[in-house]
Amino acid sequence: MTSSAHLLDLIRTTPEIDLLLRSPFGFDIHRKYYGEDLRLASGEPLEVIAGESAGGAYFLCAERNGRRPVVFASSEGEGGLIADDLAEALEIIIGLEWRDCLSFSGGGDVEVMQASARHLERHRAAHYPDMDDEAARVAAALSLRILPAADLVVRLHAAASRTEPDYVVTDDAGEAFDPLFGESTEPRHGGWHPGPDGG
């Protein structure tokens, strides 16, 4: 298992990978402006490790069972657990349009997330044809796995579903962030209409 510190050091010292993670994948280790006063509802501190262009940020939690879970907090006040360690978080980030899968999840329905993922995967293939190659380059450099989107959805859903009670993000006034699961069922980019196979 690759430690979070080792992964972050590899990103820092490999300019090509640093740049690819920043764009197109939205994991920018140089953008750490958000969240100095955020913490978990338990009072545990959060360590900001990266940000993204919409103003959200990624945080490491305190170590649990030899791993440091990763939570995400958006600029719109949503937050929660996305993975049990940084390697798993990065596999989701490079392999899945994960923010939209959560936003268009019907309130956390894994089947809706799977349908959203299929739609978003088709959109990504049509409009960003180089992203799979770029994901493979990041994965090779950081010893990550390239996993099917359907498997990543299951992992993401399981993590986000465990946000309460241990990974609820709070602001400096103690106000809890909203869940990462959105109520909508139709992704952006024109929505989707289920066919016979549900996709």
Side-chain angles (χ1 to χ4, degrees), residues 28-67:
D28 185 351
I29 63 169
H30 307 283
R31 186 187 290 267
K32 299 181 183 178
Y33 314 125
Y34 180 32
E36 288 133 8
D37 296 321
L38 297 190
R39 58 184 55 246
L40 296 179
S42 65
E44 285 186 22
L46 291 170
E47 178 190 348
V48 61
I49 53 170
E52 46 94 43
S53 59
Y58 299 88
F59 302 84
L60 289 176
C61 304
E63 186 174 309
R64 301 187 187 203
N65 301 316
R67 305 168 82 183

PDB file of all heavy atoms in Angstrom, residues 28-67:
ATOM      1  N   ASP A  28      -5.278  19.555  -7.764  1.00  0.00           N
ATOM      2  CA  ASP A  28      -4.184  20.515  -7.865  1.00  0.00           C
ATOM      3  C   ASP A  28      -3.526  20.686  -6.498  1.00  0.00           C
ATOM      4  O   ASP A  28      -4.085  21.326  -5.601  1.00  0.00           O
ATOM      5  CB  ASP A  28      -4.733  21.856  -8.371  1.00  0.00           C
ATOM      6  CG  ASP A  28      -3.639  22.886  -8.615  1.00  0.00           C
ATOM      7  OD1 ASP A  28      -2.474  22.640  -8.245  1.00  0.00           O
ATOM      8  OD2 ASP A  28      -3.964  23.954  -9.166  1.00  0.00           O
ATOM      9  N   ILE A  29      -2.325  20.097  -6.331  1.00  0.00           N
ATOM     10  CA  ILE A  29      -1.659  20.165  -5.034  1.00  0.00           C
ATOM     11  C   ILE A  29      -1.146  21.563  -4.712  1.00  0.00           C
ATOM     12  O   ILE A  29      -0.709  21.808  -3.583  1.00  0.00           O
ATOM     13  CB  ILE A  29      -0.502  19.144  -4.940  1.00  0.00           C
ATOM     14  CG1 ILE A  29       0.587  19.457  -5.970  1.00  0.00           C
ATOM     15  CG2 ILE A  29      -1.014  17.727  -5.081  1.00  0.00           C
ATOM     16  CD1 ILE A  29       1.872  18.654  -5.766  1.00  0.00           C
ATOM     17  N   HIS A  30      -1.208  22.474  -5.672  1.00  0.00           N
ATOM     18  CA  HIS A  30      -0.763  23.853  -5.427  1.00  0.00           C
ATOM     19  C   HIS A  30      -1.923  24.756  -4.998  1.00  0.00           C
ATOM     20  O   HIS A  30      -1.705  25.914  -4.661  1.00  0.00           O
ATOM     21  CB  HIS A  30      -0.111  24.420  -6.691  1.00  0.00           C
ATOM     22  CG  HIS A  30       0.976  23.547  -7.225  1.00  0.00           C
ATOM     23  ND1 HIS A  30       2.233  23.482  -6.665  1.00  0.00           N
ATOM     24  CD2 HIS A  30       0.976  22.647  -8.252  1.00  0.00           C
ATOM     25  CE1 HIS A  30       2.964  22.606  -7.331  1.00  0.00           C
ATOM     26  NE2 HIS A  30       2.223  22.084  -8.291  1.00  0.00           N
ATOM     27  N   ARG A  31      -3.137  24.228  -5.021  1.00  0.00           N
ATOM     28  CA  ARG A  31      -4.326  25.022  -4.691  1.00  0.00           C
ATOM     29  C   ARG A  31      -4.838  24.562  -3.326  1.00  0.00           C
ATOM     30  O   ARG A  31      -5.642  23.642  -3.216  1.00  0.00           O
ATOM     31  CB  ARG A  31      -5.398  24.817  -5.771  1.00  0.00           C
ATOM     32  CG  ARG A  31      -6.617  25.708  -5.619  1.00  0.00           C
ATOM     33  CD  ARG A  31      -7.687  25.314  -6.620  1.00  0.00           C
ATOM     34  NE  ARG A  31      -7.349  25.644  -7.981  1.00  0.00           N
ATOM     35  CZ  ARG A  31      -7.690  26.778  -8.587  1.00  0.00           C
ATOM     36  NH1 ARG A  31      -8.396  27.682  -7.948  1.00  0.00           N
ATOM     37  NH2 ARG A  31      -7.339  26.989  -9.844  1.00  0.00           N
ATOM     38  N   LYS A  32      -4.349  25.217  -2.295  1.00  0.00           N
ATOM     39  CA  LYS A  32      -4.708  24.808  -0.934  1.00  0.00           C
ATOM     40  C   LYS A  32      -5.295  25.984  -0.147  1.00  0.00           C
ATOM     41  O   LYS A  32      -4.984  26.180   1.026  1.00  0.00           O
ATOM     42  CB  LYS A  32      -3.482  24.262  -0.197  1.00  0.00           C
ATOM     43  CG  LYS A  32      -2.861  23.041  -0.847  1.00  0.00           C
ATOM     44  CD  LYS A  32      -1.676  22.569  -0.036  1.00  0.00           C
ATOM     45  CE  LYS A  32      -0.993  21.395  -0.697  1.00  0.00           C
ATOM     46  NZ  LYS A  32       0.191  20.935   0.056  1.00  0.00           N
ATOM     47  N   TYR A  33      -6.141  26.763  -0.819  1.00  0.00           N
ATOM     48  CA  TYR A  33      -6.623  27.993  -0.199  1.00  0.00           C
ATOM     49  C   TYR A  33      -7.868  27.780   0.650  1.00  0.00           C
ATOM     50  O   TYR A  33      -8.274  28.652   1.396  1.00  0.00           O
ATOM     51  CB  TYR A  33      -6.946  29.031  -1.275  1.00  0.00           C
ATOM     52  CG  TYR A  33      -5.877  29.151  -2.330  1.00  0.00           C
ATOM     53  CD1 TYR A  33      -6.171  28.996  -3.673  1.00  0.00           C
ATOM     54  CD2 TYR A  33      -4.551  29.393  -1.969  1.00  0.00           C
ATOM     55  CE1 TYR A  33      -5.180  29.081  -4.635  1.00  0.00           C
ATOM     56  CE2 TYR A  33      -3.563  29.472  -2.930  1.00  0.00           C
ATOM     57  CZ  TYR A  33      -3.885  29.318  -4.256  1.00  0.00           C
ATOM     58  OH  TYR A  33      -2.916  29.388  -5.214  1.00  0.00           O
ATOM     59  N   TYR A  34      -8.500  26.641   0.506  1.00  0.00           N
ATOM     60  CA  TYR A  34      -9.806  26.449   1.126  1.00  0.00           C
ATOM     61  C   TYR A  34      -9.699  25.471   2.276  1.00  0.00           C
ATOM     62  O   TYR A  34      -9.069  24.444   2.172  1.00  0.00           O
ATOM     63  CB  TYR A  34     -10.771  25.889   0.083  1.00  0.00           C
ATOM     64  CG  TYR A  34     -12.186  25.617   0.539  1.00  0.00           C
ATOM     65  CD1 TYR A  34     -12.792  26.380   1.511  1.00  0.00           C
ATOM     66  CD2 TYR A  34     -12.912  24.582  -0.023  1.00  0.00           C
ATOM     67  CE1 TYR A  34     -14.089  26.133   1.897  1.00  0.00           C
ATOM     68  CE2 TYR A  34     -14.217  24.328   0.360  1.00  0.00           C
ATOM     69  CZ  TYR A  34     -14.795  25.104   1.331  1.00  0.00           C
ATOM     70  OH  TYR A  34     -16.077  24.855   1.726  1.00  0.00           O
ATOM     71  N   GLY A  35     -10.317  25.810   3.375  1.00  0.00           N
ATOM     72  CA  GLY A  35     -10.531  24.804   4.378  1.00  0.00           C
ATOM     73  C   GLY A  35      -9.619  24.807   5.581  1.00  0.00           C
ATOM     74  O   GLY A  35      -9.586  23.835   6.318  1.00  0.00           O
ATOM     75  N   GLU A  36      -8.906  25.915   5.810  1.00  0.00           N
ATOM     76  CA  GLU A  36      -8.034  25.890   6.969  1.00  0.00           C
ATOM     77  C   GLU A  36      -8.803  25.701   8.261  1.00  0.00           C
ATOM     78  O   GLU A  36      -8.286  25.160   9.226  1.00  0.00           O
ATOM     79  CB  GLU A  36      -7.218  27.192   7.043  1.00  0.00           C
ATOM     80  CG  GLU A  36      -6.153  27.237   5.962  1.00  0.00           C
ATOM     81  CD  GLU A  36      -6.122  28.551   5.220  1.00  0.00           C
ATOM     82  OE1 GLU A  36      -6.823  29.481   5.633  1.00  0.00           O
ATOM     83  OE2 GLU A  36      -5.411  28.631   4.222  1.00  0.00           O
ATOM     84  N   ASP A  37     -10.064  26.141   8.300  1.00  0.00           N
ATOM     85  CA  ASP A  37     -10.846  26.031   9.526  1.00  0.00           C
ATOM     86  C   ASP A  37     -11.850  24.881   9.488  1.00  0.00           C
ATOM     87  O   ASP A  37     -12.666  24.754  10.394  1.00  0.00           O
ATOM     88  CB  ASP A  37     -11.602  27.342   9.783  1.00  0.00           C
ATOM     89  CG  ASP A  37     -10.648  28.501  10.033  1.00  0.00           C
ATOM     90  OD1 ASP A  37      -9.629  28.285  10.713  1.00  0.00           O
ATOM     91  OD2 ASP A  37     -10.909  29.605   9.544  1.00  0.00           O
ATOM     92  N   LEU A  38     -11.800  24.070   8.459  1.00  0.00           N
ATOM     93  CA  LEU A  38     -12.700  22.925   8.407  1.00  0.00           C
ATOM     94  C   LEU A  38     -12.157  21.791   9.269  1.00  0.00           C
ATOM     95  O   LEU A  38     -10.965  21.616   9.406  1.00  0.00           O
ATOM     96  CB  LEU A  38     -12.868  22.427   6.973  1.00  0.00           C
ATOM     97  CG  LEU A  38     -13.492  23.378   5.954  1.00  0.00           C
ATOM     98  CD1 LEU A  38     -13.791  22.636   4.667  1.00  0.00           C
ATOM     99  CD2 LEU A  38     -14.749  24.029   6.491  1.00  0.00           C
ATOM    100  N   ARG A  39     -13.092  21.036   9.838  1.00  0.00           N
ATOM    101  CA  ARG A  39     -12.721  19.858  10.608  1.00  0.00           C
ATOM    102  C   ARG A  39     -13.864  18.878  10.559  1.00  0.00           C
ATOM    103  O   ARG A  39     -14.937  19.191  10.033  1.00  0.00           O
ATOM    104  CB  ARG A  39     -12.355  20.207  12.049  1.00  0.00           C
ATOM    105  CG  ARG A  39     -13.440  20.908  12.840  1.00  0.00           C
ATOM    106  CD  ARG A  39     -12.930  21.305  14.227  1.00  0.00           C
ATOM    107  NE  ARG A  39     -11.739  22.102  14.168  1.00  0.00           N
ATOM    108  CZ  ARG A  39     -10.543  21.709  14.622  1.00  0.00           C
ATOM    109  NH1 ARG A  39     -10.399  20.512  15.161  1.00  0.00           N
ATOM    110  NH2 ARG A  39      -9.492  22.479  14.515  1.00  0.00           N
ATOM    111  N   LEU A  40     -13.644  17.695  11.085  1.00  0.00           N
ATOM    112  CA  LEU A  40     -14.725  16.734  11.181  1.00  0.00           C
ATOM    113  C   LEU A  40     -15.601  17.070  12.380  1.00  0.00           C
ATOM    114  O   LEU A  40     -15.166  17.724  13.336  1.00  0.00           O
ATOM    115  CB  LEU A  40     -14.168  15.322  11.313  1.00  0.00           C
ATOM    116  CG  LEU A  40     -13.361  14.804  10.117  1.00  0.00           C
ATOM    117  CD1 LEU A  40     -12.860  13.390  10.397  1.00  0.00           C
ATOM    118  CD2 LEU A  40     -14.182  14.839   8.841  1.00  0.00           C
ATOM    119  N   ALA A  41     -16.848  16.607  12.326  1.00  0.00           N
ATOM    120  CA  ALA A  41     -17.781  16.882  13.422  1.00  0.00           C
ATOM    121  C   ALA A  41     -17.258  16.341  14.746  1.00  0.00           C
ATOM    122  O   ALA A  41     -17.591  16.866  15.819  1.00  0.00           O
ATOM    123  CB  ALA A  41     -19.145  16.291  13.094  1.00  0.00           C
ATOM    124  N   SER A  42     -16.423  15.308  14.684  1.00  0.00           N
ATOM    125  CA  SER A  42     -15.824  14.743  15.900  1.00  0.00           C
ATOM    126  C   SER A  42     -14.813  15.680  16.536  1.00  0.00           C
ATOM    127  O   SER A  42     -14.381  15.452  17.669  1.00  0.00           O
ATOM    128  CB  SER A  42     -15.137  13.426  15.558  1.00  0.00           C
ATOM    129  OG  SER A  42     -14.048  13.662  14.670  1.00  0.00           O
ATOM    130  N   GLY A  43     -14.414  16.711  15.793  1.00  0.00           N
ATOM    131  CA  GLY A  43     -13.369  17.610  16.262  1.00  0.00           C
ATOM    132  C   GLY A  43     -12.015  17.303  15.671  1.00  0.00           C
ATOM    133  O   GLY A  43     -11.064  18.085  15.835  1.00  0.00           O
ATOM    134  N   GLU A  44     -11.889  16.168  14.969  1.00  0.00           N
ATOM    135  CA  GLU A  44     -10.602  15.821  14.361  1.00  0.00           C
ATOM    136  C   GLU A  44     -10.233  16.826  13.288  1.00  0.00           C
ATOM    137  O   GLU A  44     -11.087  17.253  12.504  1.00  0.00           O
ATOM    138  CB  GLU A  44     -10.664  14.428  13.741  1.00  0.00           C
ATOM    139  CG  GLU A  44     -10.638  13.294  14.726  1.00  0.00           C
ATOM    140  CD  GLU A  44     -10.555  11.948  14.022  1.00  0.00           C
ATOM    141  OE1 GLU A  44     -10.108  11.897  12.863  1.00  0.00           O
ATOM    142  OE2 GLU A  44     -10.946  10.936  14.635  1.00  0.00           O
ATOM    143  N   PRO A  45      -8.959  17.203  13.211  1.00  0.00           N
ATOM    144  CA  PRO A  45      -8.531  18.153  12.180  1.00  0.00           C
ATOM    145  C   PRO A  45      -8.486  17.508  10.810  1.00  0.00           C
ATOM    146  O   PRO A  45      -8.423  16.285  10.685  1.00  0.00           O
ATOM    147  CB  PRO A  45      -7.122  18.554  12.639  1.00  0.00           C
ATOM    148  CG  PRO A  45      -6.637  17.352  13.400  1.00  0.00           C
ATOM    149  CD  PRO A  45      -7.844  16.777  14.084  1.00  0.00           C
ATOM    150  N   LEU A  46      -8.512  18.357   9.792  1.00  0.00           N
ATOM    151  CA  LEU A  46      -8.375  17.922   8.408  1.00  0.00           C
ATOM    152  C   LEU A  46      -7.160  18.612   7.801  1.00  0.00           C
ATOM    153  O   LEU A  46      -6.942  19.801   8.033  1.00  0.00           O
ATOM    154  CB  LEU A  46      -9.625  18.284   7.607  1.00  0.00           C
ATOM    155  CG  LEU A  46     -10.906  17.530   7.950  1.00  0.00           C
ATOM    156  CD1 LEU A  46     -12.097  18.167   7.256  1.00  0.00           C
ATOM    157  CD2 LEU A  46     -10.786  16.061   7.573  1.00  0.00           C
ATOM    158  N   GLU A  47      -6.398  17.866   7.022  1.00  0.00           N
ATOM    159  CA  GLU A  47      -5.209  18.408   6.353  1.00  0.00           C
ATOM    160  C   GLU A  47      -5.512  18.600   4.874  1.00  0.00           C
ATOM    161  O   GLU A  47      -5.691  17.640   4.139  1.00  0.00           O
ATOM    162  CB  GLU A  47      -4.023  17.461   6.516  1.00  0.00           C
ATOM    163  CG  GLU A  47      -2.766  17.933   5.796  1.00  0.00           C
ATOM    164  CD  GLU A  47      -1.671  16.873   5.772  1.00  0.00           C
ATOM    165  OE1 GLU A  47      -1.786  15.863   6.491  1.00  0.00           O
ATOM    166  OE2 GLU A  47      -0.695  17.074   5.009  1.00  0.00           O
ATOM    167  N   VAL A  48      -5.570  19.858   4.434  1.00  0.00           N
ATOM    168  CA  VAL A  48      -5.856  20.113   3.028  1.00  0.00           C
ATOM    169  C   VAL A  48      -4.635  19.722   2.198  1.00  0.00           C
ATOM    170  O   VAL A  48      -3.503  20.065   2.535  1.00  0.00           O
ATOM    171  CB  VAL A  48      -6.265  21.581   2.793  1.00  0.00           C
ATOM    172  CG1 VAL A  48      -5.161  22.553   3.178  1.00  0.00           C
ATOM    173  CG2 VAL A  48      -6.708  21.805   1.348  1.00  0.00           C
ATOM    174  N   ILE A  49      -4.886  18.943   1.109  1.00  0.00           N
ATOM    175  CA  ILE A  49      -3.768  18.472   0.291  1.00  0.00           C
ATOM    176  C   ILE A  49      -3.868  18.921  -1.154  1.00  0.00           C
ATOM    177  O   ILE A  49      -2.875  18.919  -1.878  1.00  0.00           O
ATOM    178  CB  ILE A  49      -3.645  16.936   0.324  1.00  0.00           C
ATOM    179  CG1 ILE A  49      -4.976  16.257  -0.051  1.00  0.00           C
ATOM    180  CG2 ILE A  49      -3.146  16.471   1.694  1.00  0.00           C
ATOM    181  CD1 ILE A  49      -4.865  14.766  -0.280  1.00  0.00           C
ATOM    182  N   ALA A  50      -5.055  19.326  -1.608  1.00  0.00           N
ATOM    183  CA  ALA A  50      -5.220  19.744  -3.004  1.00  0.00           C
ATOM    184  C   ALA A  50      -6.557  20.450  -3.153  1.00  0.00           C
ATOM    185  O   ALA A  50      -7.450  20.315  -2.310  1.00  0.00           O
ATOM    186  CB  ALA A  50      -5.164  18.538  -3.946  1.00  0.00           C
ATOM    187  N   GLY A  51      -6.672  21.203  -4.237  1.00  0.00           N
ATOM    188  CA  GLY A  51      -7.927  21.865  -4.550  1.00  0.00           C
ATOM    189  C   GLY A  51      -8.287  21.649  -5.996  1.00  0.00           C
ATOM    190  O   GLY A  51      -7.562  20.974  -6.743  1.00  0.00           O
ATOM    191  N   GLU A  52      -9.445  22.185  -6.382  1.00  0.00           N
ATOM    192  CA  GLU A  52      -9.863  22.112  -7.781  1.00  0.00           C
ATOM    193  C   GLU A  52     -10.441  23.455  -8.194  1.00  0.00           C
ATOM    194  O   GLU A  52     -10.719  24.309  -7.357  1.00  0.00           O
ATOM    195  CB  GLU A  52     -10.829  20.949  -8.011  1.00  0.00           C
ATOM    196  CG  GLU A  52     -11.937  20.806  -6.993  1.00  0.00           C
ATOM    197  CD  GLU A  52     -13.204  21.498  -7.407  1.00  0.00           C
ATOM    198  OE1 GLU A  52     -13.583  21.388  -8.578  1.00  0.00           O
ATOM    199  OE2 GLU A  52     -13.817  22.158  -6.565  1.00  0.00           O
ATOM    200  N   SER A  53     -10.591  23.648  -9.504  1.00  0.00           N
ATOM    201  CA  SER A  53     -10.841  24.982 -10.040  1.00  0.00           C
ATOM    202  C   SER A  53     -12.163  25.578  -9.596  1.00  0.00           C
ATOM    203  O   SER A  53     -12.317  26.796  -9.573  1.00  0.00           O
ATOM    204  CB  SER A  53     -10.783  24.951 -11.575  1.00  0.00           C
ATOM    205  OG  SER A  53     -11.741  24.046 -12.092  1.00  0.00           O
ATOM    206  N   ALA A  54     -13.131  24.743  -9.212  1.00  0.00           N
ATOM    207  CA  ALA A  54     -14.429  25.262  -8.772  1.00  0.00           C
ATOM    208  C   ALA A  54     -14.406  25.706  -7.314  1.00  0.00           C
ATOM    209  O   ALA A  54     -15.422  26.177  -6.799  1.00  0.00           O
ATOM    210  CB  ALA A  54     -15.513  24.212  -8.977  1.00  0.00           C
ATOM    211  N   GLY A  55     -13.272  25.555  -6.653  1.00  0.00           N
ATOM    212  CA  GLY A  55     -13.144  26.034  -5.286  1.00  0.00           C
ATOM    213  C   GLY A  55     -13.238  24.962  -4.226  1.00  0.00           C
ATOM    214  O   GLY A  55     -13.121  25.255  -3.035  1.00  0.00           O
ATOM    215  N   GLY A  56     -13.440  23.708  -4.622  1.00  0.00           N
ATOM    216  CA  GLY A  56     -13.477  22.622  -3.655  1.00  0.00           C
ATOM    217  C   GLY A  56     -12.076  22.188  -3.255  1.00  0.00           C
ATOM    218  O   GLY A  56     -11.074  22.629  -3.835  1.00  0.00           O
ATOM    219  N   ALA A  57     -12.000  21.332  -2.239  1.00  0.00           N
ATOM    220  CA  ALA A  57     -10.694  20.897  -1.750  1.00  0.00           C
ATOM    221  C   ALA A  57     -10.762  19.457  -1.243  1.00  0.00           C
ATOM    222  O   ALA A  57     -11.812  18.970  -0.822  1.00  0.00           O
ATOM    223  CB  ALA A  57     -10.206  21.818  -0.637  1.00  0.00           C
ATOM    224  N   TYR A  58      -9.599  18.822  -1.294  1.00  0.00           N
ATOM    225  CA  TYR A  58      -9.413  17.456  -0.810  1.00  0.00           C
ATOM    226  C   TYR A  58      -8.630  17.510   0.498  1.00  0.00           C
ATOM    227  O   TYR A  58      -7.661  18.262   0.613  1.00  0.00           O
ATOM    228  CB  TYR A  58      -8.632  16.629  -1.824  1.00  0.00           C
ATOM    229  CG  TYR A  58      -9.299  16.479  -3.162  1.00  0.00           C
ATOM    230  CD1 TYR A  58      -9.094  17.413  -4.179  1.00  0.00           C
ATOM    231  CD2 TYR A  58     -10.142  15.399  -3.423  1.00  0.00           C
ATOM    232  CE1 TYR A  58      -9.704  17.275  -5.415  1.00  0.00           C
ATOM    233  CE2 TYR A  58     -10.754  15.247  -4.661  1.00  0.00           C
ATOM    234  CZ  TYR A  58     -10.532  16.192  -5.650  1.00  0.00           C
ATOM    235  OH  TYR A  58     -11.134  16.050  -6.875  1.00  0.00           O
ATOM    236  N   PHE A  59      -9.019  16.658   1.446  1.00  0.00           N
ATOM    237  CA  PHE A  59      -8.398  16.656   2.766  1.00  0.00           C
ATOM    238  C   PHE A  59      -8.056  15.244   3.193  1.00  0.00           C
ATOM    239  O   PHE A  59      -8.804  14.297   2.916  1.00  0.00           O
ATOM    240  CB  PHE A  59      -9.356  17.226   3.817  1.00  0.00           C
ATOM    241  CG  PHE A  59      -9.836  18.615   3.542  1.00  0.00           C
ATOM    242  CD1 PHE A  59     -10.916  18.831   2.709  1.00  0.00           C
ATOM    243  CD2 PHE A  59      -9.219  19.715   4.127  1.00  0.00           C
ATOM    244  CE1 PHE A  59     -11.375  20.115   2.447  1.00  0.00           C
ATOM    245  CE2 PHE A  59      -9.668  20.995   3.880  1.00  0.00           C
ATOM    246  CZ  PHE A  59     -10.738  21.196   3.035  1.00  0.00           C
ATOM    247  N   LEU A  60      -6.942  15.104   3.912  1.00  0.00           N
ATOM    248  CA  LEU A  60      -6.617  13.855   4.596  1.00  0.00           C
ATOM    249  C   LEU A  60      -7.124  13.934   6.025  1.00  0.00           C
ATOM    250  O   LEU A  60      -6.974  14.957   6.705  1.00  0.00           O
ATOM    251  CB  LEU A  60      -5.109  13.633   4.618  1.00  0.00           C
ATOM    252  CG  LEU A  60      -4.430  13.272   3.293  1.00  0.00           C
ATOM    253  CD1 LEU A  60      -2.923  13.191   3.505  1.00  0.00           C
ATOM    254  CD2 LEU A  60      -4.969  11.973   2.718  1.00  0.00           C
ATOM    255  N   CYS A  61      -7.723  12.824   6.470  1.00  0.00           N
ATOM    256  CA  CYS A  61      -8.132  12.692   7.865  1.00  0.00           C
ATOM    257  C   CYS A  61      -6.996  12.069   8.669  1.00  0.00           C
ATOM    258  O   CYS A  61      -5.987  11.628   8.118  1.00  0.00           O
ATOM    259  CB  CYS A  61      -9.367  11.798   7.971  1.00  0.00           C
ATOM    260  SG  CYS A  61     -10.775  12.339   6.979  1.00  0.00           S
ATOM    261  N   ALA A  62      -7.173  12.004   9.970  1.00  0.00           N
ATOM    262  CA  ALA A  62      -6.205  11.327  10.823  1.00  0.00           C
ATOM    263  C   ALA A  62      -6.145   9.844  10.452  1.00  0.00           C
ATOM    264  O   ALA A  62      -7.123   9.271   9.960  1.00  0.00           O
ATOM    265  CB  ALA A  62      -6.605  11.486  12.289  1.00  0.00           C
ATOM    266  N   GLU A  63      -5.005   9.244  10.695  1.00  0.00           N
ATOM    267  CA  GLU A  63      -4.811   7.845  10.322  1.00  0.00           C
ATOM    268  C   GLU A  63      -5.750   6.924  11.092  1.00  0.00           C
ATOM    269  O   GLU A  63      -5.949   7.081  12.301  1.00  0.00           O
ATOM    270  CB  GLU A  63      -3.351   7.442  10.592  1.00  0.00           C
ATOM    271  CG  GLU A  63      -3.004   6.055  10.113  1.00  0.00           C
ATOM    272  CD  GLU A  63      -1.523   5.745  10.253  1.00  0.00           C
ATOM    273  OE1 GLU A  63      -0.692   6.555   9.786  1.00  0.00           O
ATOM    274  OE2 GLU A  63      -1.215   4.694  10.848  1.00  0.00           O
ATOM    275  N   ARG A  64      -6.319   5.963  10.353  1.00  0.00           N
ATOM    276  CA  ARG A  64      -7.164   4.929  10.957  1.00  0.00           C
ATOM    277  C   ARG A  64      -6.766   3.591  10.345  1.00  0.00           C
ATOM    278  O   ARG A  64      -6.789   3.436   9.134  1.00  0.00           O
ATOM    279  CB  ARG A  64      -8.640   5.193  10.688  1.00  0.00           C
ATOM    280  CG  ARG A  64      -9.124   6.535  11.228  1.00  0.00           C
ATOM    281  CD  ARG A  64     -10.612   6.698  11.088  1.00  0.00           C
ATOM    282  NE  ARG A  64     -11.003   8.060  11.475  1.00  0.00           N
ATOM    283  CZ  ARG A  64     -12.215   8.388  11.875  1.00  0.00           C
ATOM    284  NH1 ARG A  64     -13.160   7.480  11.924  1.00  0.00           N
ATOM    285  NH2 ARG A  64     -12.500   9.643  12.209  1.00  0.00           N
ATOM    286  N   ASN A  65      -6.395   2.667  11.197  1.00  0.00           N
ATOM    287  CA  ASN A  65      -5.990   1.330  10.735  1.00  0.00           C
ATOM    288  C   ASN A  65      -4.904   1.407   9.658  1.00  0.00           C
ATOM    289  O   ASN A  65      -4.938   0.675   8.671  1.00  0.00           O
ATOM    290  CB  ASN A  65      -7.202   0.570  10.193  1.00  0.00           C
ATOM    291  CG  ASN A  65      -8.297   0.418  11.236  1.00  0.00           C
ATOM    292  OD1 ASN A  65      -8.010   0.095  12.388  1.00  0.00           O
ATOM    293  ND2 ASN A  65      -9.531   0.674  10.843  1.00  0.00           N
ATOM    294  N   GLY A  66      -3.954   2.315   9.852  1.00  0.00           N
ATOM    295  CA  GLY A  66      -2.826   2.428   8.945  1.00  0.00           C
ATOM    296  C   GLY A  66      -3.107   3.184   7.660  1.00  0.00           C
ATOM    297  O   GLY A  66      -2.239   3.256   6.792  1.00  0.00           O
ATOM    298  N   ARG A  67      -4.310   3.758   7.531  1.00  0.00           N
ATOM    299  CA  ARG A  67      -4.674   4.492   6.312  1.00  0.00           C
ATOM    300  C   ARG A  67      -5.230   5.857   6.712  1.00  0.00           C
ATOM    301  O   ARG A  67      -5.780   6.025   7.794  1.00  0.00           O
ATOM    302  CB  ARG A  67      -5.726   3.719   5.509  1.00  0.00           C
ATOM    303  CG  ARG A  67      -5.304   2.318   5.183  1.00  0.00           C
ATOM    304  CD  ARG A  67      -6.452   1.478   4.655  1.00  0.00           C
ATOM    305  NE  ARG A  67      -6.691   1.697   3.236  1.00  0.00           N
ATOM    306  CZ  ARG A  67      -7.677   1.124   2.568  1.00  0.00           C
ATOM    307  NH1 ARG A  67      -8.533   0.344   3.171  1.00  0.00           N
ATOM    308  NH2 ARG A  67      -7.821   1.350   1.275  1.00  0.00           N
TER     309      ARG A  67
END
